[in-house]
Amino acid sequence: MRRDAPAAEIKTVEQKLHDLGFKTGRLEGTEITLIGVYGDITTLPKGEIEELPGVEQLIPISRAYKRVAQKGVPGKPIFQTVKIGQVVCGGDELAFIAGPCSVESEAQIMEAAQLVKEGGGDALRGGVVKYRSSPYSGWEGLGASSAEALKKGLQLIVKAGKAFGLPTVVEILDQADVPLYEDTGVDCLQIGEPNSKNQALLNRLRDTPLPVIHKRGNSLDTEAYLLWVERIMSAGKENVILCERGVAAGNRYTRNTLDVGSIAAFRYQLSGQPIAVDASHGTGIRDLVHPGTLSGIMAGASVVLVEAHPNPLIAKSDGHQGLFREQLVALVKAARAAWTLRRELDREYLPTSVLEKAYFERMPADRKRFFGK
Amino acid sequence: MRRDAPAAEIKTVEQKLHDLGFKTGRLEGTEITLIGVYGDITTLPKGEIEELPGVEQLIPISRAYKRVAQKGVPGKPIFQTVKIGQVVCGGDELAFIAGPCSVESEAQIMEAAQLVKEGGGDALRGGVVKYRSSPYSGWEGLGASSAEALKKGLQLIVKAGKAFGLPTVVEILDQADVPLYEDTGVDCLQIGEPNSKNQALLNRLRDTPLPVIHKRGNSLDTEAYLLWVERIMSAGKENVILCERGVAAGNRYTRNTLDVGSIAAFRYQLSGQPIAVDASHGTGIRDLVHPGTLSGIMAGASVVLVEAHPNPLIAKSDGHQGLFREQLVALVKAARAAWTLRRELDREYLPTSVLEKAYFERMPADRKRFFGK
Amino acid sequence: MRRDAPAAEIKTVEQKLHDLGFKTGRLEGTEITLIGVYGDITTLPKGEIEELPGVEQLIPISRAYKRVAQKGVPGKPIFQTVKIGQVVCGGDELAFIAGPCSVESEAQIMEAAQLVKEGGGDALRGGVVKYRSSPYSGWEGLGASSAEALKKGLQLIVKAGKAFGLPTVVEILDQADVPLYEDTGVDCLQIGEPNSKNQALLNRLRDTPLPVIHKRGNSLDTEAYLLWVERIMSAGKENVILCERGVAAGNRYTRNTLDVGSIAAFRYQLSGQPIAVDASHGTGIRDLVHPGTLSGIMAGASVVLVEAHPNPLIAKSDGHQGLFREQLVALVKAARAAWTLRRELDREYLPTSVLEKAYFERMPADRKRFFGK
Amino acid sequence: MRRDAPAAEIKTVEQKLHDLGFKTGRLEGTEITLIGVYGDITTLPKGEIEELPGVEQLIPISRAYKRVAQKGVPGKPIFQTVKIGQVVCGGDELAFIAGPCSVESEAQIMEAAQLVKEGGGDALRGGVVKYRSSPYSGWEGLGASSAEALKKGLQLIVKAGKAFGLPTVVEILDQADVPLYEDTGVDCLQIGEPNSKNQALLNRLRDTPLPVIHKRGNSLDTEAYLLWVERIMSAGKENVILCERGVAAGNRYTRNTLDVGSIAAFRYQLSGQPIAVDASHGTGIRDLVHPGTLSGIMAGASVVLVEAHPNPLIAKSDGHQGLFREQLVALVKAARAAWTLRRELDREYLPTSVLEKAYFERMPADRKRFFGK
């Protein structure tokens, strides 16, 4: 509704919608009033509604993620780059982030950092407080017991990262810990899948200067996820990286169902933000991380997130999906080759928008040739 | 592994498992070492493994939610009651909790409380800080802007509840707010669906004396959900209420898919905790809340959670699924009738365990009669 | 498009839609041309489109299941009854159909029929050719091997039904077998879940005078299922019964997720056809069939479909979900009590359409009271 | 159970299982008796059970798809090739199958064949009888009206294929039509997604010498799908091609969720059959077919199935997902480049089985270094 629309006009619009069989909800912002229309809006006589007094605009919900949405003109999208330390994500090079599920000890994270560096990775990941589906797992990360322990854990991974020239990516679970992460020198905050819709945490991250990797919740539709990402970005923050890590489906063999169709939709249609693929969680099976990662890159990911460990057989968490050193080396090499190929092929990618006009003009002739009319 | 199992024994067990083609993960608790076995454990030669030195016990994951699990003996389960104020949930009477999606003003929540009371409800619900899927909805609850606003909002609903003798149920989004909720006199904390796996929040709730309604995440399997509930209960807390509010499936017509099979599984097989059914979110369609609620009661729910508003047409959030006064009145009456009927019918419910023996003994005779052998 | 719309007009409409960013598909019927509009049609300027020359009507897809759709006026729907033999489904009485998963021998099906009759059931079900997820199950029904075997198997269940005055419901897998089912005296054909989208079979059933129970495919949305049901009914057939038997979701505990929200949607909003609930497949767990069935009745089902066997422990298929005699007796009694209660409660069910007007008129006063404006 | 196991032994085993709390089902084959154990078999004391008299073997269900399963030894799998005409699928070269959703006229299919040939494709696809979700779509294919029409339609595509040296792939909906497809010279039969579990059709295809592309049902788990494929292969048929075309999940943006994790699982763990990726149905959005296809190849597909049309704007069905000529040309080129890269990278793919031993031996040293014990 227009800013100055009187209540009577608002009421008239709602009455009209109810008469047409729609349910409505009213959202009163400080400046405007939104009337939400629920139900099968395919029957909505938009022209008729728009002519009612006071109506400003009909906004489909899909425009609601305006900051995370793709900018530019059709055929010439603008892509946003996000820096993690000095590593540029979403630019000309693939960004490869690897590391253990959790920081387990100084020796372990130092060796892990060395492994990532020597393996050709760009950044080091590692959890200091861990998500666990069972409260009895016995291991919730080095930093789970106290603020002091958390600080020490963060310092360990930052130290390891610095020793090998790798910026660090660490998951954050509690909004109260943001200053600690910032002060300790962590280079990027990660929001885990279970927190994908944690409103208090997302609101808090609006204010951090650190880049954020926001993992997609496993039951969020492609566009619904972008609305949750928009929550972080809505006040102006720009350095956010999308991350597909598998959705819930009927599959029982793989732990999750890696949704490369959404990666492609983000890259080619919906968003200009960098997209990470996490095939470790996306498949949950160590030997499928390699093909899953390559698959995600070809779909449109420019950032890779994988779990790797100096010896996954003794990892305290998620060891079954952590890569061995040799596998990491092979994957980094393969991923960069896949990236190079996709960059080349992308130059010849042809969206419908650049072709459609010619075919439209051919329609009468084609119809005559095919159908004789 | 046994507490005193030397590393060599642990290694031998793992080697054995690897030789058999299993992946393993090791979880080192302070007292014992758990070896997680991943993959198709139907092939696991359990007898053989259990005889290896150092092996304490093979624990299937399904036993992992021990506090939330059903107690008693087969055929004679023990059910836990949980009190919200003076209202007993999971006992002889149905507990009916109703109220607006959000507290919008003092007048609104007072009328809502009156509506719930006169309609026959037992407790008042209402959100003071609201979950919103879009950051631009323009309404995140009276208490969204500051701690002071939150306090005032909580005071409003507590006042309304007291005025009409109704205990109050309010959603909490931020672990830092627990003391405020406790101090203001809220009677029950609700964890919303988006926070179902918010580890930091769940951990924090271990310490509150207030009862908690923990809504099931829409992508959590029946038993996986119980593990997240167990997180709150694992240190001894007992007053937790389960809540089914719909899962994600391929359905597009209803907002979620209300999973009454899981309600039945909780009630008849898995848990002794009270179970709430929330058909407002479970269907997302006002006119389906009535049949959805009755359906949930017949499946095993003893607590009802619905949204109702003095005038849903002007509700600031979720008005399309909020009940009108007349609908609330009809539903309370219907729900209590359904509850009474189920209680009666339950006396004649016969689990397989009490019948199976007789049929086992008849098997040879039946086989001969049916198949001649 | 209008029947006489020239190609140029059609082209203009499509051009307009493409200019607006929509994808279109053209469907050329013998009488009219349909232009399918794909994508986010919330942005479609309907008024503008409808004024273009040649445009007949904008039809949202949801009207596409016109025969299966609910008739009557809002608040006064008309419900269709369907007779299976002399048993009326969708009328004043609950129809209770029970029987073994498969007909295993003459003695077995005779005892099963007796069990159903004495247990209080109305009709006898039993498969003669069985769906099996594995080709090595070793049992695909008495009738799987040849046309002759199929005939004999069908004769057995028909004989058993007649002996106890029960009409018979038998699944059909092959369209070529329709005459055999008709000639043998089977009273109702059942389409199993795996055949829910079997176009050749559904087309063939348009011509049978027998009533059909069409089970919902486990990945079909509420309305998409109705379109497949519409396929049987589109040429005029009316005696079709809907059946909800569980959808695929992330759940692993129950075999399927019984979707009572869709049952409620069929009954209260979408269709006038009778609705069956099959909690045997819907839960896949014998001890959940009882609460699952009652739940389905309260949601809106008027037909119950369950598996029961004289001795499920020796059943050749699906014995784990087949009811024991005592369980069947208890369930028939409970189901009829639930049905009676729902019929009573339904008289006081209030759809929004009968209430909304009064609340609309109160809106200004309510808003003033609640929000001071 | 052993072949000669007396009933008493079988009964004893079942009694034991029931005592342990398991449900059982008995499957009587001609040679052996299978006892199916349902429930949480992680608790099954396998060693104990196997020692009971009469027990032959405990077979986990996952071995049930023995013919479709991967052969060879770990690390050295054997892959089966399948020929469609002279085109080898699953061998050294990528097989690219393209064509319109449906054969619409002789001129249309001839141009389509030319398009596929010139675009670099290997085989021509096209439907003569079409699956339609609505019975009112007005177009069910040239061959929908009669056997004669079907024959003519098949002849058209065969003629077009021969004219351009392309073998043809055509969907079959009715088992009665198999001889007609064989006699007309169609080179490969396709089973559509809606028929993925059509038992009568699958059984019938056991006997055709033609290769079969069996599309995965959109609610079938990775391994459950292989059991349905096994149905065709169980009597010895070997020339079957797997096809992933998207599963049902909560996604609303893409038409289906393309499950590349299952493609990877088929290729690297479960099966030796060739795997096709169908990103046209897998995404349902024309501009995502390109990245979706490349993604599927990197995951493990060796066959590509896409829809392309001389002018998709006038296609009678599925035009919105059909590629334009220029898009097909770009995709064939890109797909072959991706295939070449994957073949190279595959040489360096390292499954866990070849690495694990070394890391197992390092465990004590690594543990000491990391954890001091």
Side-chain angles (χ1 to χ4, degrees):
Chain A
M1 301 299 295
R2 258 195 286 279
R3 197 170 176 172
D4 57 353
E9 286 181 6
I10 295 177
K11 207 167 47 181
T12 306
V13 172
E14 289 173 333
Q15 174 77 70
K16 174 86 186 173
L17 289 164
H18 294 165
D19 289 351
L20 289 163
F22 292 97
K23 302 162 195 158
T24 65
R26 204 187 286 180
L27 307 169
E28 307 250 327
T30 50
E31 304 228 324
I32 57 162
T33 297
L34 293 181
I35 300 177
V37 183
Y38 303 94
D40 181 358
I41 41 177
T42 60
T43 61
L44 188 67
K46 279 196 58 175
E48 205 175 329
I49 298 294
E50 278 177 338
E51 284 164 24
L52 292 176
V55 172
E56 173 94 11
Q57 203 188 345
L58 289 178
I59 310 171
I61 188 89
S62 58
R63 297 277 168 74
Y65 45 89
K66 59 186 176 187
R67 293 195 66 84
V68 74
Q70 196 158 101
K71 280 87 179 178
V73 293
K76 297 199 175 179
I78 296 169
F79 293 103
Q80 178 86 30
T81 58
V82 173
K83 285 177 81 175
I84 300 178
Q86 294 308 310
V87 175
V88 179
C89 298
D92 293 340
E93 302 298 329
L94 183 76
F96 202 107
I97 306 168
C101 179
S102 58
V103 176
E104 296 165 345
S105 73
E106 178 162 354
Q108 177 255 11
I109 194 65
M110 290 300 280
E111 283 197 28
Q114 185 176 1
L115 162 63
V116 172
K117 187 65 181 184
E118 293 175 0
D122 301 308
L124 177 66
R125 54 146 292 155
V128 177
V129 181
K130 290 309 301 171
Y131 256 108
R132 303 314 301 264
S133 50
S134 166
Y136 302 121
S137 67
W139 171 253
E140 301 197 348
L142 276 184
S145 53
S146 69
E148 194 52 35
L150 176 58
K151 188 176 176 183
K152 279 191 188 166
L154 293 173
Q155 286 169 336
L156 283 186
I157 185 169
V158 169
K159 179 179 172 189
K162 290 203 169 136
F164 292 93
L166 299 168
T168 48
V169 177
V170 187
E171 184 166 342
I172 184 161
L173 278 79
D174 190 330
Q175 46 272 30
D177 298 332
V178 173
L180 190 55
Y181 279 64
E182 290 170 347
D183 296 346
T184 320
V186 167
D187 296 294
C188 177
L189 302 178
Q190 178 182 304
I191 303 165
E193 185 281 330
N195 269 334
S196 194
K197 302 180 286 186
N198 181 335
Q199 185 161 307
L201 177 58
L202 299 177
N203 285 351
R204 175 64 184 84
L205 294 181
R206 288 171 176 164
D207 297 326
T208 184
L210 292 182
V212 171
I213 297 177
H214 183 169
K215 290 197 169 184
R216 178 183 178 191
N218 69 357
S219 57
L220 285 174
D221 176 41
T222 315
E223 290 188 279
Y225 164 52
L226 294 183
L227 269 173
W228 285 102
V229 176
E230 185 76 9
R231 181 165 285 279
I232 313 179
M233 299 177 70
S234 59
K237 184 174 175 66
E238 299 224 323
N239 52 349
V240 179
I241 297 171
L242 310 180
C243 180
E244 161 59 27
R245 45 74 71 207
V247 295
N251 280 330
R252 305 188 177 205
Y253 187 82
T254 51
R255 185 170 164 188
N256 292 289
T257 299
L258 187 67
D259 180 14
V260 294
S262 285
I263 293 179
F266 297 143
R267 173 62 178 72
Y268 291 97
Q269 304 193 322
L270 300 177
S271 180
Q273 299 302 119
I275 307 144
V277 57
D278 170 0
S280 298
H281 292 90
T283 66
I285 298 173
R286 186 190 290 126
D287 285 359
L288 300 184
V289 172
H290 183 104
T293 299
L294 301 186
S295 186
I297 292 168
M298 293 313 273
S302 56
V303 180
V304 169
L305 208 58
V306 293
E307 295 191 356
H309 192 284
N311 191 343
L313 300 183
I314 60 173
K316 287 176 188 283
S317 54
D318 273 2
H320 60 290
Q321 69 191 30
L323 297 182
F324 289 98
R325 172 187 297 268
E326 293 84 345
Q327 291 174 323
L328 178 67
V329 170
L331 180 54
V332 172
K333 189 182 156 196
R336 298 212 189 277
W339 170 256
T340 301
L341 178 61
R342 182 167 79 78
R343 294 270 293 172
E344 278 172 34
L345 297 174
D346 252 6
R347 281 184 222 121
E348 299 176 47
Y349 172 77
L350 287 165
T352 295
S353 55
V354 306
L355 298 168
E356 212 162 22
K357 196 155 179 293
Y359 282 87
F360 182 78
E361 282 159 11
R362 285 175 43 180
M363 280 171 63
D366 288 346
R367 291 185 56 78
K368 186 147 191 203
R369 221 161 56 251
F370 294 166
F371 310 124
K373 53 183 176 178
Chain B
M1 301 298 297
R2 258 195 286 280
R3 199 172 177 170
D4 56 354
E9 286 181 6
I10 296 176
K11 207 168 48 180
T12 305
V13 172
E14 287 173 333
Q15 173 78 69
K16 175 86 187 173
L17 289 164
H18 294 163
D19 289 352
L20 289 163
F22 292 97
K23 302 163 198 156
T24 65
R26 204 188 285 181
L27 308 167
E28 307 251 327
T30 49
E31 304 229 324
I32 57 162
T33 296
L34 292 182
I35 299 177
V37 183
Y38 304 93
D40 182 358
I41 40 178
T42 59
T43 60
L44 189 66
K46 279 196 58 174
E48 205 174 330
I49 298 294
E50 279 176 337
E51 284 164 23
L52 292 176
V55 172
E56 173 94 12
Q57 204 188 343
L58 287 179
I59 310 171
I61 189 87
S62 57
R63 297 278 168 72
Y65 46 88
K66 59 186 177 188
R67 293 195 65 85
V68 75
Q70 196 159 100
K71 280 88 178 176
V73 292
K76 298 199 172 179
I78 296 168
F79 293 103
Q80 178 86 28
T81 58
V82 173
K83 285 178 81 174
I84 300 178
Q86 295 307 311
V87 176
V88 179
C89 298
D92 293 340
E93 302 298 328
L94 183 77
F96 201 107
I97 305 168
C101 178
S102 59
V103 177
E104 296 165 345
S105 73
E106 178 162 355
Q108 176 254 13
I109 193 64
M110 290 300 281
E111 283 198 28
Q114 185 175 0
L115 163 63
V116 171
K117 187 66 181 184
E118 293 175 0
D122 301 309
L124 178 66
R125 56 146 290 155
V128 178
V129 181
K130 291 306 303 171
Y131 256 109
R132 303 315 301 265
S133 49
S134 166
Y136 303 120
S137 65
W139 171 253
E140 301 197 346
L142 277 184
S145 53
S146 68
E148 194 51 36
L150 176 58
K151 189 176 175 183
K152 280 191 185 165
L154 293 173
Q155 285 170 337
L156 283 186
I157 186 168
V158 169
K159 180 179 172 188
K162 289 203 169 137
F164 293 93
L166 298 168
T168 48
V169 177
V170 187
E171 183 165 343
I172 184 162
L173 278 80
D174 190 330
Q175 47 273 32
D177 298 331
V178 173
L180 189 56
Y181 279 64
E182 290 171 349
D183 295 346
T184 321
V186 168
D187 296 294
C188 177
L189 302 178
Q190 178 182 304
I191 302 166
E193 186 279 331
N195 270 334
S196 196
K197 302 179 285 187
N198 181 336
Q199 185 163 307
L201 176 57
L202 299 177
N203 285 352
R204 175 63 184 84
L205 295 180
R206 288 172 177 163
D207 297 327
T208 185
L210 292 181
V212 171
I213 297 178
H214 183 168
K215 290 197 170 185
R216 178 184 178 192
N218 68 358
S219 58
L220 284 175
D221 177 41
T222 315
E223 292 189 278
Y225 165 51
L226 294 182
L227 269 173
W228 285 102
V229 176
E230 185 77 9
R231 182 166 284 278
I232 312 178
M233 299 177 70
S234 59
K237 184 174 177 65
E238 299 224 323
N239 52 349
V240 178
I241 296 171
L242 309 181
C243 181
E244 162 58 27
R245 45 74 71 206
V247 295
N251 280 330
R252 303 188 178 204
Y253 187 82
T254 51
R255 185 171 165 187
N256 291 290
T257 298
L258 188 66
D259 179 13
V260 295
S262 284
I263 293 179
F266 298 144
R267 172 63 177 72
Y268 292 97
Q269 302 192 323
L270 300 177
S271 179
Q273 300 302 119
I275 306 144
V277 58
D278 170 0
S280 299
H281 292 89
T283 67
I285 298 173
R286 187 191 288 125
D287 286 359
L288 301 184
V289 173
H290 184 103
T293 300
L294 301 185
S295 187
I297 292 169
M298 293 313 273
S302 56
V303 179
V304 169
L305 208 58
V306 292
E307 296 190 356
H309 191 283
N311 190 342
L313 300 184
I314 60 172
K316 287 176 188 283
S317 55
D318 272 2
H320 60 288
Q321 68 192 29
L323 296 182
F324 290 99
R325 172 187 296 269
E326 294 84 346
Q327 291 175 323
L328 178 67
V329 171
L331 180 54
V332 172
K333 189 181 157 197
R336 297 211 190 277
W339 170 257
T340 301
L341 178 62
R342 182 168 77 80
R343 292 270 294 172
E344 278 173 34
L345 296 175
D346 251 5
R347 282 184 222 120
E348 299 176 48
Y349 173 76
L350 287 164
T352 295
S353 55
V354 306
L355 296 168
E356 212 162 22
K357 195 157 179 292
Y359 282 87
F360 182 78
E361 282 160 10
R362 285 175 42 181
M363 279 171 65
D366 287 346
R367 291 184 55 78
K368 185 146 193 202
R369 219 161 56 251
F370 295 165
F371 309 125
K373 52 184 174 177
Chain C
M1 301 297 295
R2 257 195 286 284
R3 196 171 177 173
D4 57 354
E9 286 180 8
I10 295 176
K11 206 167 47 179
T12 306
V13 172
E14 289 173 333
Q15 174 78 69
K16 175 86 187 171
L17 289 164
H18 294 165
D19 289 352
L20 289 162
F22 292 97
K23 302 163 198 155
T24 63
R26 203 187 287 180
L27 307 169
E28 307 251 327
T30 49
E31 305 226 325
I32 56 162
T33 297
L34 294 180
I35 299 177
V37 183
Y38 304 93
D40 182 359
I41 40 179
T42 60
T43 61
L44 188 67
K46 276 197 59 176
E48 204 175 330
I49 298 293
E50 278 176 337
E51 284 163 23
L52 291 177
V55 172
E56 173 94 11
Q57 203 190 344
L58 288 178
I59 310 170
I61 190 88
S62 58
R63 297 279 169 74
Y65 46 90
K66 60 185 176 186
R67 293 195 66 85
V68 75
Q70 196 159 102
K71 280 89 181 177
V73 293
K76 298 201 173 178
I78 296 168
F79 293 103
Q80 177 87 29
T81 58
V82 173
K83 286 176 78 172
I84 300 178
Q86 293 308 310
V87 176
V88 178
C89 298
D92 294 339
E93 302 297 329
L94 182 77
F96 201 106
I97 306 168
C101 178
S102 59
V103 177
E104 296 165 346
S105 71
E106 178 162 354
Q108 176 255 12
I109 193 64
M110 290 301 281
E111 282 197 30
Q114 186 176 0
L115 162 62
V116 171
K117 186 68 182 183
E118 292 174 2
D122 300 308
L124 177 67
R125 56 146 291 156
V128 178
V129 182
K130 293 305 304 170
Y131 255 107
R132 303 313 302 266
S133 49
S134 165
Y136 303 121
S137 66
W139 171 252
E140 301 196 349
L142 276 184
S145 54
S146 68
E148 194 52 34
L150 177 57
K151 188 176 175 182
K152 279 191 187 165
L154 293 173
Q155 285 170 336
L156 282 186
I157 186 169
V158 169
K159 180 180 171 186
K162 290 202 170 139
F164 292 94
L166 298 168
T168 48
V169 177
V170 187
E171 183 167 343
I172 185 163
L173 279 80
D174 191 331
Q175 46 273 32
D177 297 331
V178 173
L180 189 56
Y181 278 64
E182 291 172 346
D183 295 346
T184 320
V186 167
D187 295 294
C188 177
L189 302 179
Q190 178 182 306
I191 302 166
E193 185 279 330
N195 269 333
S196 195
K197 302 180 285 185
N198 180 337
Q199 184 161 309
L201 176 59
L202 300 176
N203 284 352
R204 175 63 185 83
L205 294 180
R206 288 170 176 166
D207 297 327
T208 185
L210 293 181
V212 171
I213 297 177
H214 184 169
K215 291 197 168 183
R216 178 183 179 193
N218 70 356
S219 57
L220 285 174
D221 176 43
T222 315
E223 292 188 278
Y225 164 53
L226 294 182
L227 269 174
W228 285 103
V229 177
E230 185 77 9
R231 182 165 282 280
I232 312 179
M233 299 177 71
S234 59
K237 184 174 176 67
E238 299 223 323
N239 52 347
V240 178
I241 297 170
L242 309 181
C243 180
E244 162 57 28
R245 45 75 70 204
V247 296
N251 280 330
R252 303 188 179 205
Y253 187 82
T254 51
R255 183 170 165 189
N256 291 289
T257 298
L258 188 66
D259 179 14
V260 294
S262 285
I263 293 179
F266 297 142
R267 172 64 177 71
Y268 292 97
Q269 304 192 321
L270 300 177
S271 179
Q273 299 302 120
I275 307 144
V277 57
D278 170 1
S280 299
H281 292 89
T283 66
I285 298 174
R286 186 189 290 125
D287 285 358
L288 300 183
V289 173
H290 184 104
T293 299
L294 301 185
S295 187
I297 291 169
M298 293 313 273
S302 55
V303 179
V304 169
L305 207 58
V306 292
E307 295 190 358
H309 191 284
N311 191 341
L313 300 183
I314 61 172
K316 287 175 188 285
S317 55
D318 272 3
H320 61 288
Q321 69 191 28
L323 297 181
F324 289 99
R325 171 186 297 268
E326 293 83 348
Q327 291 174 322
L328 178 67
V329 170
L331 180 54
V332 172
K333 189 182 157 197
R336 296 208 189 279
W339 170 257
T340 300
L341 178 61
R342 182 168 77 79
R343 294 269 293 173
E344 277 173 36
L345 298 174
D346 251 5
R347 280 182 224 122
E348 299 175 49
Y349 173 76
L350 287 165
T352 294
S353 54
V354 306
L355 297 168
E356 212 163 20
K357 196 158 179 295
Y359 282 86
F360 182 77
E361 283 159 11
R362 289 176 40 183
M363 279 172 62
D366 288 346
R367 290 185 56 78
K368 188 148 191 200
R369 221 162 55 251
F370 295 166
F371 310 124
K373 53 181 173 179
Chain D
M1 301 297 295
R2 256 195 288 281
R3 197 172 177 173
D4 56 354
E9 286 180 8
I10 295 175
K11 207 168 47 181
T12 306
V13 172
E14 287 172 333
Q15 174 76 71
K16 175 85 187 173
L17 289 164
H18 295 164
D19 290 352
L20 289 162
F22 291 98
K23 302 162 197 157
T24 63
R26 203 187 286 181
L27 308 169
E28 307 251 327
T30 47
E31 304 228 324
I32 57 161
T33 297
L34 293 181
I35 299 176
V37 184
Y38 303 93
D40 181 359
I41 40 178
T42 60
T43 59
L44 188 67
K46 277 197 58 175
E48 206 174 328
I49 298 294
E50 279 176 336
E51 284 163 23
L52 291 177
V55 173
E56 172 94 12
Q57 202 187 346
L58 289 179
I59 310 171
I61 190 88
S62 58
R63 297 279 169 73
Y65 46 88
K66 59 185 175 185
R67 292 195 66 84
V68 75
Q70 196 159 101
K71 281 87 179 176
V73 293
K76 298 200 175 179
I78 296 169
F79 294 103
Q80 178 85 29
T81 58
V82 173
K83 285 176 81 173
I84 301 178
Q86 294 307 310
V87 175
V88 179
C89 298
D92 293 340
E93 302 298 328
L94 182 76
F96 201 106
I97 305 168
C101 179
S102 58
V103 177
E104 295 165 347
S105 72
E106 178 162 353
Q108 176 255 11
I109 194 64
M110 289 300 281
E111 282 197 30
Q114 186 176 0
L115 162 63
V116 171
K117 187 66 182 184
E118 292 175 2
D122 300 309
L124 177 67
R125 57 146 291 156
V128 177
V129 181
K130 292 306 304 171
Y131 256 107
R132 302 314 300 265
S133 49
S134 165
Y136 303 121
S137 66
W139 171 253
E140 302 196 348
L142 277 185
S145 54
S146 68
E148 193 53 32
L150 177 57
K151 188 176 174 183
K152 280 190 187 167
L154 294 174
Q155 286 169 338
L156 284 186
I157 187 169
V158 169
K159 181 179 170 187
K162 289 203 170 137
F164 292 93
L166 298 168
T168 49
V169 177
V170 187
E171 184 167 342
I172 185 162
L173 278 80
D174 190 331
Q175 47 274 30
D177 298 331
V178 173
L180 190 54
Y181 279 64
E182 290 171 347
D183 295 346
T184 319
V186 167
D187 295 295
C188 177
L189 303 178
Q190 178 182 304
I191 302 167
E193 186 280 330
N195 270 332
S196 195
K197 302 180 283 185
N198 180 335
Q199 185 162 307
L201 177 58
L202 300 177
N203 285 352
R204 175 63 184 84
L205 294 181
R206 288 171 176 164
D207 297 327
T208 184
L210 292 182
V212 171
I213 296 178
H214 184 168
K215 289 196 169 184
R216 178 183 177 192
N218 69 357
S219 57
L220 285 174
D221 176 42
T222 315
E223 290 189 280
Y225 164 52
L226 294 183
L227 269 174
W228 285 102
V229 176
E230 185 77 9
R231 182 166 283 280
I232 313 179
M233 298 176 72
S234 59
K237 184 174 176 65
E238 301 223 321
N239 52 347
V240 178
I241 296 170
L242 309 181
C243 180
E244 161 59 26
R245 46 74 69 203
V247 296
N251 280 330
R252 303 189 179 206
Y253 186 81
T254 51
R255 183 170 166 187
N256 291 288
T257 299
L258 187 66
D259 180 13
V260 294
S262 285
I263 293 179
F266 297 143
R267 172 63 177 72
Y268 292 96
Q269 302 192 324
L270 300 177
S271 178
Q273 300 301 121
I275 306 145
V277 58
D278 170 2
S280 299
H281 292 89
T283 68
I285 298 173
R286 186 190 290 126
D287 284 359
L288 300 184
V289 173
H290 184 103
T293 299
L294 301 186
S295 187
I297 292 168
M298 292 315 272
S302 55
V303 179
V304 169
L305 208 57
V306 293
E307 295 190 357
H309 191 282
N311 191 341
L313 301 182
I314 61 171
K316 287 175 188 282
S317 54
D318 273 3
H320 61 288
Q321 69 192 29
L323 297 181
F324 289 98
R325 173 188 296 269
E326 294 83 348
Q327 292 174 323
L328 178 68
V329 170
L331 181 54
V332 171
K333 190 182 156 195
R336 297 209 189 278
W339 169 257
T340 300
L341 178 62
R342 184 168 75 81
R343 293 269 294 172
E344 277 173 36
L345 297 174
D346 251 5
R347 279 184 223 120
E348 298 176 47
Y349 173 76
L350 287 165
T352 295
S353 54
V354 306
L355 297 168
E356 211 162 20
K357 195 156 181 295
Y359 282 87
F360 183 78
E361 281 160 11
R362 287 176 41 182
M363 281 172 62
D366 287 345
R367 290 184 57 78
K368 186 147 194 203
R369 219 162 56 250
F370 295 166
F371 310 124
K373 53 182 174 179

